[in-house]
Amino acid sequence: MTENGGPVLYAQRRRKRLSRDVDYIQTELGPIRTIPLAPSPDIPDDKCPARRKDWWDGLSEEERREYLAVAPDLIGNLDGIPSLVRDAANRAYLPVLIDSLAQQSGPEARTKLEGLRAIERTLTTPGMYLLGIGDEGTGRAIVSYGNPDTSKTVTTHVPDPGTKLNADFAEETLRLTLTTRAQPPSSATIIWLTTDTDRETPAYAEFLSGLSATNTADGQSP
């Protein structure tokens, strides 16, 4: 987790870019103190979800706040991290992605920008959790209606290949699928929209393993 200039410069760049977007994280986990250094580069992004959960569980609350303040984009997309944490991190990171795309030109950037803004509006619905977000490829978003960590029944839906992160997806497909099929708090419904390349990798299986690792409900059925 370094860039040219080392971990100190890395932390400074991230903190400057994300400083106005940590209010949600502060609400979830308390005040974030000034961070003199980036957290040590040991985020287990190359480990299985269960190992990632063990890593997160072993951190102090202060360490967790530091990781969320410096690297919400990494923590929010890490399978095996609790859903409440991922949701807080991704909600903090979402305005950064929106601002970045708003400064770009071209139809692809505008399409993803409209999709992200629509997702931002969808998140105002109680019971929504943002478990993943990204602008790579045609866009990526993982949204749950209901907390999958506390639900006994967790259902996931993968849109058809070629589905893009755009306004139609976020405002119609996503909202309709989630709100008509889940009954929180006993169940959760998730839409896993990612790039077609990810469909050809273990990414989806890893996501499901992450759900199993963080679920605390008896008799779960993801």
Side-chain angles (χ1 to χ4, degrees):
M1 199 174 73
T2 60
E3 290 182 353
N4 293 338
V8 175
L9 182 57
Y10 177 85
Q12 292 173 344
R13 287 174 176 170
R14 277 185 179 274
R15 188 158 61 244
K16 181 179 180 181
R17 181 164 60 97
L18 298 167
S19 60
R20 64 182 177 76
D21 298 311
V22 299
D23 289 346
Y24 191 89
I25 292 175
Q26 290 177 329
T27 299
E28 291 294 323
L29 294 176
I32 299 173
R33 67 177 179 82
T34 301
I35 305 170
L37 293 173
S40 57
D42 61 350
I43 294 179
D45 55 346
D46 59 342
K47 305 296 183 181
C48 69
R51 292 284 298 277
R52 295 169 186 166
K53 180 180 183 299
D54 290 342
W55 168 77
W56 183 261
D57 289 346
L59 297 175
S60 67
E61 287 300 312
E62 184 177 34
E63 289 172 328
R64 293 174 183 175
R65 286 194 292 269
E66 290 183 356
Y67 276 106
L68 282 169
V70 174
D73 53 331
L74 300 180
I75 298 300
N77 288 285
L78 203 61
D79 298 324
I81 301 298
S83 295
L84 283 174
V85 176
R86 293 180 67 167
D87 179 63
N90 287 318
R91 285 177 187 254
Y93 184 55
L94 181 57
V96 176
L97 282 177
I98 289 175
D99 288 347
S100 175
L101 288 168
Q103 297 174 23
Q104 300 177 33
S105 60
E108 289 187 4
R110 179 169 295 278
T111 294
K112 287 184 282 190
L113 175 61
E114 293 172 350
L116 290 177
R117 284 175 171 166
I119 284 179
E120 191 174 43
R121 293 191 293 269
T122 297
L123 293 175
T124 61
T125 302
M128 292 291 187
Y129 294 82
L130 186 59
L131 304 181
I133 198 72
D135 62 353
E136 60 269 28
T138 56
R140 181 170 55 82
I142 306 172
V143 184
S144 176
Y145 183 50
N147 186 344
D149 291 353
T150 58
S151 296
K152 293 184 177 181
T153 301
V154 180
T155 305
T156 59
H157 298 272
V158 180
D160 294 334
T163 301
K164 297 181 179 181
L165 175 57
N166 55 29
D168 288 341
F169 167 79
E171 292 179 342
E172 298 179 13
T173 305
L174 187 148
R175 184 185 295 273
L176 180 64
T177 300
L178 295 182
T179 57
T180 59
R181 300 195 181 188
Q183 298 294 327
S186 62
S187 64
T189 297
I190 299 170
I191 286 190
W192 190 82
L193 174 66
T194 188
T195 63
D196 289 341
T197 300
D198 282 344
R199 295 168 181 266
E200 301 169 3
T201 70
Y204 183 59
E206 196 168 275
F207 174 69
L208 295 179
S209 294
L211 293 180
S212 296
T214 57
N215 189 282
T216 59
D218 293 332
Q220 66 187 40
S221 55

